[in-house]
Amino acid sequence: MELINNPIFLLLVIVILGEMLGHVRVKSFSLGSSAIIFVALTFGHFGYSLPEEFQILGLVLFIYSVGLQAGPGFLSSFKSHGLRLALGAMSVVFLGFLMTLVCSWIFSFDLGIAAGLFAGALTSTPGLAVAVEAAEQSQAPAAYGLTYCFGVVGVIVFINLLPKILRLNIKEEEQSLHRELTENNPPFTSHHIEVTNPNLFDKLVKDIFLKNIAPVVLTRLLRRGAVEPILISGETVLREGDLLRIVGREADLKKVELYMGQPVGEKIEFTRGMTRKSIILSKPQVVGHSLGSLNLREAFSVQVSRVTRNGIELPAETNMRLHLGDVLHVVGDENAVKNVSRILGNDVRETYRINLLPIFLGLLAGFIIGKIPLTLPWIGSFSLGMTGGVLLAGLILSNLYKTGPIVWEIPSTANSFIRELGLLLFLATVGTRTGATILETLSQQGLPLFFSGVLVTTVPLLVSMLVCRYLLKISFLRMIGVLTGGMTSTPGLASASAISDGPYAAAAYATVYPVALIGMILFTKILILILR
């Protein structure tokens, strides 16, 4: 059949069959996108192959999108309690690395088999990508395919059995975490205060150093006897009996009340002559600027009370750098608010558009970085290679966020599309190019490789569970998110989410996922350097 030899037609057939197989679900288990490699291995066994250029293109798109996604969260994961979660996830990766080394020395696996074992048992496609690039013509994909299935099933079984083994009451765990989150992240609200502190009379707002007391925003002021409120700026003079509307968190508002005056119980009309509006930042020209640099209060008489980013409300601080898709909650004269809305964009469609220039510039930078020679003690001279260079470029550029007129961040939907496109190109090509020798690999290494996969999956999960629970003191619902995040296992996360309807496991997974992702890539590189 001539048509099947056409690379585009062959690619489409493999991807369609792989997607269909990946959507087959047995209870909580499904192969997802990784099903493509099993279909591709079958076609490869029968002599069909895709061009290597597909593999290279898919690899760089996939790894670069991973870098862009992981970059901002990679550094923030080490703040506050996130450090404990990150350590828990890294223990999974590190123990998997050690078990892979042990199994490789016992069974004399070559570096390709070892790297595929490491990536498959910990269900990490980025790890496989690094292995394929560093160990060309290796059996890494075959080893990955054999060990991946138990990697997925093993995590699901382990997560489902864990509550029974530890004899936990999930409802009590949920209530405990809910109380903790409410205390640590209280919602924003507003209070009305009458200025009664004589030390503040006839003082400018900028001279009372309110930020030293609490991160609140004074939005509007109603003078004694006045009908319409005015917006507050640093130059506003406070007078006895002024009524203020203040936005912040409850505990912070209480502190300000003690400092400025007494709370006002009755309802006060603060909206006459003013309008409130939530504006989406969609103009690329404004993205990356600090909130203070926009000078909205002085230029337009518009006050920003708070900013919502990714569903989280943040104080409207002057040094806050604005991101695409931020929602600014503003108050002011109706015409002034309309003008500010035009400046910020307020067009949700713009937040989904893709600018290809930053993507290709980032890929080019990654190729250059990957060629730079590096030297480390005991390891010698080496380079990051294509995967390492492109990944590092993504991490750096996503944290820079913006350089001049270029915004490096791309919308999450676009990032997901690029990542999935790169993944299917990579898996389809590497599968067909390895399929010809898969039976030989299985006949020579099948049983030792499968047994090694079981060890590399289960031992890190068991030991890391003990580390998280008894050493790092991570609560159970967060711990299962950490364990599945350390394995970068989406099916495992689905099982964790089925245990509890709360967001705790998913939030922990999202916190540690970037760290585990980078850790897998780095440890795969180290594994190859050791076994080379």
Side-chain angles (χ1 to χ4, degrees), residues 302-323:
V302 169
Q303 181 71 277
V304 181
S305 62
R306 65 192 188 281
V307 176
T308 303
R309 178 177 298 164
N310 298 325
I312 300 173
E313 290 190 334
L314 305 170
E317 299 178 340
T318 55
N319 59 353
M320 171 187 284
R321 186 170 64 168
L322 297 173
H323 288 197

Side-chain angles (χ1 to χ4, degrees), residues 437-472:
T437 57
I438 186 173
L439 291 183
E440 179 184 350
T441 301
L442 294 178
S443 64
Q444 293 176 356
Q445 307 283 0
L447 190 58
L449 187 56
F450 179 79
F451 177 71
S452 299
V454 173
L455 288 178
V456 176
T457 297
T458 55
V459 172
L461 282 174
L462 283 168
V463 177
S464 295
M465 182 271 291
L466 297 174
V467 170
C468 289
R469 187 157 182 83
Y470 300 108
L471 183 61
L472 298 175

Side-chain angles (χ1 to χ4, degrees), residues 487-517:
M487 294 283 290
T488 61
S489 173
T490 305
L493 175 62
S495 294
S497 299
I499 291 175
S500 168
D501 294 331
Y504 313 110
Y509 180 95
T511 300
V512 304
Y513 179 83
V515 180
L517 210 57

Side-chain angles (χ1 to χ4, degrees), residues 168-179 476-477 499-502 504:
L168 294 173
N169 186 314
I170 300 302
K171 289 296 181 185
E172 290 180 0
E173 293 287 324
E174 289 175 337
Q175 291 169 2
S176 174
L177 275 176
H178 178 71
R179 286 193 298 269
F476 173 77
L477 294 179
I499 291 175
S500 168
D501 294 331
Y504 313 110

Side-chain angles (χ1 to χ4, degrees), residues 24-146:
V24 175
R25 182 175 294 276
V26 180
K27 293 188 176 180
S28 296
F29 173 73
S30 68
L31 289 172
S33 298
S34 294
I36 293 173
I37 197 170
F38 295 101
V39 176
L41 286 168
T42 304
F43 275 88
H45 173 68
F46 289 103
Y48 299 103
S49 181
L50 291 170
E52 187 179 5
E53 289 75 13
F54 284 8
Q55 177 180 319
I56 296 172
L57 177 60
L59 182 62
V60 297
L61 287 176
F62 175 66
I63 294 295
Y64 184 64
S65 68
V66 165
L68 287 180
Q69 179 193 33
F74 184 64
L75 294 178
S76 63
S77 293
F78 293 96
K79 298 176 181 178
S80 187
H81 70 272
L83 177 59
R84 288 186 290 123
L85 303 186
L87 289 174
M90 283 304 296
S91 71
V92 177
V93 178
F94 180 66
L95 290 167
F97 165 76
L98 291 182
M99 289 304 303
T100 302
L101 282 178
V102 171
C103 292
S104 299
W105 287 329
I106 292 175
F107 297 111
S108 301
F109 294 147
D110 64 26
L111 66 89
I113 294 288
L117 163 65
F118 183 41
L122 268 67
T123 65
S124 173
T125 308
L128 174 63
V130 175
V132 169
E133 183 204 10
E136 294 181 2
Q137 306 301 324
S138 74
Q139 295 305 305
Y144 174 89
L146 181 62

Side-chain angles (χ1 to χ4, degrees), residues 402-418:
K402 183 179 181 181
T403 306
I406 298 175
V407 179
W408 300 109
E409 184 188 57
I410 60 177
S412 58
T413 50
N415 187 288
S416 297
F417 173 74
I418 293 171

Side-chain angles (χ1 to χ4, degrees), residues 1 6 33 49 110 156 225 229 382 399 418 475 498 510:
M1 183 179 178
N6 182 296
S33 298
S49 181
D110 64 26
I156 292 172
F382 72 102
N399 276 286
I418 293 171
S475 61

Side-chain angles (χ1 to χ4, degrees), residues 206-318:
K206 67 179 182 180
D207 293 333
I208 66 173
F209 304 107
L210 196 59
K211 293 296 183 184
N212 294 337
I213 299 174
V216 299
V217 178
L218 306 181
T219 59
R220 281 161 277 180
L221 180 151
L222 186 66
R223 299 287 187 196
R224 179 179 290 175
V227 177
E228 294 188 359
I230 61 173
L231 289 175
I232 299 175
S233 71
E235 301 298 327
T236 302
V237 177
L238 296 177
R239 295 173 185 163
E240 182 180 2
D242 282 346
L243 301 180
L244 306 176
R245 189 174 193 272
I246 306 180
V247 176
R249 295 186 169 98
E250 188 69 33
D252 294 328
L253 294 175
K254 292 289 186 183
K255 293 178 185 178
V256 173
E257 285 179 0
L258 294 174
Y259 175 59
M260 299 192 71
Q262 61 187 22
V264 178
E266 67 269 17
K267 184 177 179 180
I268 303 173
E269 183 58 63
F270 272 98
T271 58
R272 184 172 178 177
M274 293 187 184
T275 184
R276 288 177 290 181
K277 189 176 179 66
S278 298
I279 304 174
I280 299 172
L281 176 57
S282 61
K283 283 282 184 71
Q285 298 89 334
V286 183
V287 168
H289 288 275
S290 68
L291 183 60
S293 68
L294 299 182
N295 213 21
L296 298 180
R297 175 63 185 85
E298 287 72 19
F300 298 95
S301 295
V302 169
Q303 181 71 277
V304 181
S305 62
R306 65 192 188 281
V307 176
T308 303
R309 178 177 298 164
N310 298 325
I312 300 173
E313 290 190 334
L314 305 170
E317 299 178 340
T318 55

